[in-house]
Amino acid sequence: MSDILQLLENNRVWSEGMKEAEPDFFDKLSKRQKPEYLWIGCSDSRVPANQLLGLLPGDIFVHRNVANLVVHTDFNCLSVLQYAVDVLKVKHVIVCGHYGCGGIDAALQDQQLGLIDNWLEHIKDIAKFHQDELAKLSGEQRSARLCELNVIEQANNISRSNIIKAAAARGQNIRIHSWIYSLRNGRIKDLALAKSEG
């Protein structure tokens, strides 16, 4: 069986298992999407939001990109944020990065990878802003700290967005979280107290 056909078979087995465990699961899932959480995370295939948090499909709205960036000119990410806040009425926005992020490492090492270099300039800006702190670290510690600083900066970008400001103006309380995931132990660490807007 080809790899692609195996994926379809895996889906069939999963679907049947879900129906066996909870016969009305897909019927309920198809009728409503009302998550309380928006997850903005890295595209890295080792960081799946639902599984990390023990949530089922429909429990969390997810946006992923390389290095979990929230850029004020990225209409894809901003559209997801706006839909989550204005339509789904999420209560929490979580930015979750992870240690060992390839995007962070590429930015630190100034690797030339092509088109993505433009995207990674945002991380290089963060590294430059925090250069005094990062200069005291080396190797894995430096990378890990930039992973953390990046998450904090992206959460700050969310809090400064017109989407969150408009939600606060109308009394909608959105909590913004800065989290980091460890591939080595599977644990998530809260990098800051949740920011409350509104």
Side-chain angles (χ1 to χ4, degrees), residues 88-99:
L88 296 176
K89 306 289 187 203
V90 297
K91 296 176 182 166
H92 301 270
V93 177
I94 301 161
V95 178
C96 187
H98 66 96
Y99 297 118

Side-chain angles (χ1 to χ4, degrees), residues 76-97:
N76 184 315
C77 182
L78 294 176
S79 296
V80 169
L81 178 62
Q82 192 255 331
Y83 185 81
V85 170
D86 293 353
V87 177
L88 296 176
K89 306 289 187 203
V90 297
K91 296 176 182 166
H92 301 270
V93 177
I94 301 161
V95 178
C96 187

Side-chain angles (χ1 to χ4, degrees), residues 1 4-14:
M1 182 180 293
I4 291 294
L5 291 178
Q6 184 62 55
L7 294 178
L8 294 172
E9 176 60 16
N10 292 352
N11 171 255
R12 184 191 65 73
V13 169
W14 173 79

Side-chain angles (χ1 to χ4, degrees), residues 72 153 155-165 176:
H72 295 296
E153 291 293 333
N156 288 337
N157 286 347
I158 290 170
S159 68
R160 290 190 305 267
S161 73
N162 64 349
I163 297 160
I164 296 300
K165 289 176 183 175
I176 301 167

Side-chain angles (χ1 to χ4, degrees), residues 21-41:
E22 190 177 341
D24 60 345
F25 175 79
F26 291 106
D27 188 48
K28 288 192 296 189
L29 185 65
S30 68
K31 290 181 179 169
R32 182 178 113 121
Q33 175 178 229
K34 192 73 176 144
E36 291 188 19
Y37 314 99
L38 167 61
W39 170 283
I40 298 176

